[in-house]
Amino acid sequence: MQTTSVAEAQQEETFSYSGYHSIISGVNPDWEYGGFPLPDGSFWRYREPNAAVIVEAERLRVRVGQITRFNNQVQILDNAKNMFFSTKKFETPDEGEMSVEWEMTARCTGTRPRDLYDGFVSVNLLDFRTGTALDFFVCNDVIATVYARLPFPGVPEPQDPENAVRPKYFSDFNELPIETKPGQLHRYRISYSKSKDEVRFFVDGQDAGVYIEVPSKVHSFVIALGLMTEKGIEQGKSVSVHGQGLTGEWGPFTISTRKTEQ
């Protein structure tokens, strides 16, 4: 006797997001400089004053000859030197998954070999409701995935049960065994399933890691494009700037939403 299972109907929607020209024109912007409001009412903007921003069709290149921005008090403000946030929030489906895919290159000058955190180029999927961050960090010779829940300024603290067995805030930098070199083009993808509480990372179509039991439901996120460091503040002083230069290039983003129905 032959049995048949209930077929799953998959509805997939795909669209492209770039709009890099609007960074320069300011008309109907798809991107804006990122940053966070401070307790004194001012705003910390992730903007390197001498960055060269170049748009060629649907590709963005940002070059900083020497990074200059730092913050001596707040680690999250010290990390990003120049960063653009998408003006659009991307809503994740309740069932199925959402994938974000793009091409990116990184060139870092004056950075220490094999020290990713001395200067890198990033794409960050950021949920400012929960503090969740799903990222790729890339420098001359290292590619890493990042899975984190962070205390972004102004974001409410997540629930922390008394019997919790995992940290409330965390960052997992997974340096991958993938060879790369300055300016080498790779294709990256991050896929998130809200119903499964699962995130998966891919490089050039190959599996680069998975996390299950993601502690917070990500209902939406913005895309961030960064030139960054990740050096801990020491004795009230930033140590992240010593003349490094960073150049990042990003192609258009392909956003795919795959909804599964029984």
Side-chain angles (χ1 to χ4, degrees):
M1 179 178 178
Q2 185 177 8
T3 60
T4 58
S5 60
V6 177
E8 289 187 344
Q10 290 192 340
Q11 298 178 340
E12 183 168 343
E13 298 177 357
T14 300
F15 66 95
S16 180
Y17 190 86
S18 54
Y20 298 130
H21 294 283
S22 66
I23 294 174
I24 296 172
S25 71
V27 178
N28 299 320
D30 292 302
W31 304 89
E32 61 187 0
Y33 281 103
F36 292 97
L38 302 180
D40 64 3
S42 62
F43 189 85
W44 184 271
R45 184 165 282 106
Y46 293 138
R47 180 181 181 273
E48 278 286 351
N50 293 320
V53 178
I54 300 167
V55 179
E56 298 172 341
E58 290 192 287
R59 303 193 75 84
L60 169 69
R61 184 165 66 254
V62 181
R63 179 183 180 276
V64 178
Q66 289 190 341
I67 58 175
T68 63
R69 298 280 286 160
F70 64 90
N71 189 290
N72 289 324
Q73 286 81 40
V74 182
Q75 189 67 58
I76 286 176
L77 303 184
D78 186 57
N79 291 343
K81 308 308 182 186
N82 197 95
M83 182 171 275
F84 294 108
F85 289 173
S86 65
T87 57
K88 177 180 175 61
K89 285 186 177 180
F90 300 89
E91 296 185 0
T92 62
D94 291 332
E95 302 293 335
E97 70 175 19
M98 173 175 276
S99 295
V100 181
E101 191 168 2
W102 71 97
E103 293 180 341
M104 178 169 66
T105 69
R107 292 182 183 273
C108 309
T109 58
T111 53
R112 301 178 182 94
R114 301 297 304 176
D115 184 355
L116 171 70
Y117 314 100
D118 199 34
F120 55 88
V121 176
S122 73
V123 163
N124 318 63
L125 308 186
L126 305 176
D127 175 15
F128 295 127
R129 186 186 66 86
T130 66
T132 301
L134 310 174
D135 317 325
F136 269 103
F137 290 177
V138 183
C139 67
N140 289 339
D141 46 15
V142 179
I143 298 173
T145 65
V146 183
Y147 167 60
R149 186 163 65 180
L150 304 171
F152 291 123
V155 173
E157 290 190 23
Q159 293 184 353
D160 192 32
E162 185 175 343
N163 61 347
V165 296
R166 293 197 294 174
K168 179 169 65 174
Y169 295 117
F170 55 86
S171 295
D172 187 3
F173 303 95
N174 182 26
E175 298 184 20
L176 303 173
I178 297 175
E179 291 188 5
T180 191
K181 58 186 179 181
Q184 184 171 350
L185 183 72
H186 294 283
R187 190 162 186 86
Y188 301 90
R189 175 158 60 99
I190 300 174
S191 297
Y192 171 72
S193 171
K194 187 192 302 182
S195 59
K196 295 181 180 179
D197 295 320
E198 178 182 278
V199 59
R200 294 181 294 147
F201 296 88
F202 301 86
V203 179
D204 297 328
Q206 301 300 310
D207 188 357
V210 60
Y211 292 90
I212 61 173
E213 298 181 357
V214 175
S216 300
K217 297 284 188 185
V218 175
H219 296 296
S220 66
F221 58 83
V222 301
I223 301 173
L225 315 176
L227 304 180
M228 302 181 64
T229 62
E230 191 86 27
K231 291 290 186 179
I233 295 171
E234 298 180 2
Q235 299 180 343
K237 184 175 177 60
S238 169
V239 296
S240 63
V241 175
H242 59 83
Q244 315 96 301
L246 301 174
T247 301
E249 185 170 326
W250 301 265
F253 288 83
T254 299
I255 316 296
S256 301
T257 301
R258 184 178 294 109
K259 300 178 182 179
T260 303
E261 298 179 354
Q262 293 284 348

